[in-house]
């Protein structure tokens, strides 16, 4: 699973006709910063991320992990007993462990999560590219988009709903909502 790299970014920017005056190290820094910002905005694991969950008095036959999708369970213990894949079924996309029997003791789970290669290629990489394109082509001294102008008797209105900035914000929101935290009724 690969995130967009500098060479691919340069090729895409050239195809789009976007000019810039940054060298490769500056583009790399911009790319890394955008990736970190995207994770910060969405809390979606676009790179492999390790987590550990400890439940001191676990009682039950299923456990919902806080971060998902889960790519790998690296360690799973109930008390001092190490569980194997014969002891549970993992729903990777939802981060839910279904145990084959009712368990009671301290549960310790170490796992790695990351979104799928398909999501990276079809959602995250195009979004990162559009954010970079937007930043390279936008005048940062202008903080907002003009929605209307009036000069004398002439008035012009612009539809800013379909601007690239607004489309990016919508796509970020959609990505965040897709992997939002589960809410359970008690």
């Amino acid at each position: 699973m690969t995130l967009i790299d500098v060479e691919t970014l340069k090729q895409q920017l050239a195809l789009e006709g976007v000019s810039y005056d940054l060298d490769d190290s500056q583009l790399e820094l911009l790319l890394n910063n955008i990736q970190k910002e995207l994770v910060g905005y969405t809390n979606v694991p676009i790179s492999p991320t390790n987590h550990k969950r400890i439940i001191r008095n676990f009682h039950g036959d299923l456990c919902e992990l806080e971060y998902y999708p889960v790519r790998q369970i690296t360690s799973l213990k109930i008390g001092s007993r190490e569980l194997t894949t014969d002891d549970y079924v993992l729903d990777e996309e939802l981060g839910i462990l279904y145990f084959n029997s009712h368990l009671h003791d301290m549960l310790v789970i170490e796992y790695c999560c990351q979104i799928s290669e398909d999501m990276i290629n079809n959602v995250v990489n195009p979004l990162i590219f559009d954010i970079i394109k937007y930043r390279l082509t936008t005048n940062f001294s202008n903080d907002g988009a003009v929605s209307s102008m009036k000069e004398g008797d002439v008035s012009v209105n612009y539809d800013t709903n379909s601007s690239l900035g607004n489309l990016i914000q919508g796509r970020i929101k959609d990505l965040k909502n897709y992997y939002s935290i589960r809410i359970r009724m008690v």
Side-chain angles (χ1 to χ4, degrees), residues 51-118:
H51 297 280
K52 184 175 187 175
R53 179 153 189 217
I54 299 172
I55 304 172
R56 297 207 184 281
N57 292 312
F58 180 78
H59 294 279
D61 55 6
L62 79 86
C63 179
E64 294 178 359
L65 300 174
E66 296 164 320
Y67 302 98
Y68 55 93
V70 175
R71 292 296 152 232
Q72 178 183 16
I73 300 288
T74 54
S75 175
L76 179 57
K77 290 183 181 180
I78 185 77
S80 60
R81 189 180 115 207
E82 186 80 32
L83 299 177
T84 67
T85 54
D86 294 333
D87 298 315
Y88 65 88
V89 174
L90 172 64
D91 181 335
E92 293 95 354
E93 283 304 306
L94 297 176
I96 300 174
L97 283 165
Y98 298 96
F99 299 108
N100 294 339
S101 61
H102 188 84
L103 302 175
H104 170 70
D105 209 336
M106 181 186 290
L107 183 66
V108 180
I109 308 164
E110 294 180 32
Y111 61 100
C112 179
C113 63
Q114 180 183 21
I115 61 175
S116 69
E117 185 173 350
D118 186 50

Side-chain angles (χ1 to χ4, degrees), residues 134 142-148 158-161 163 166:
Y134 180 76
N142 179 6
D143 292 335
V146 176
S147 61
S148 66
Y158 297 96
D159 178 12
T160 58
N161 291 328
S163 71
N166 286 336

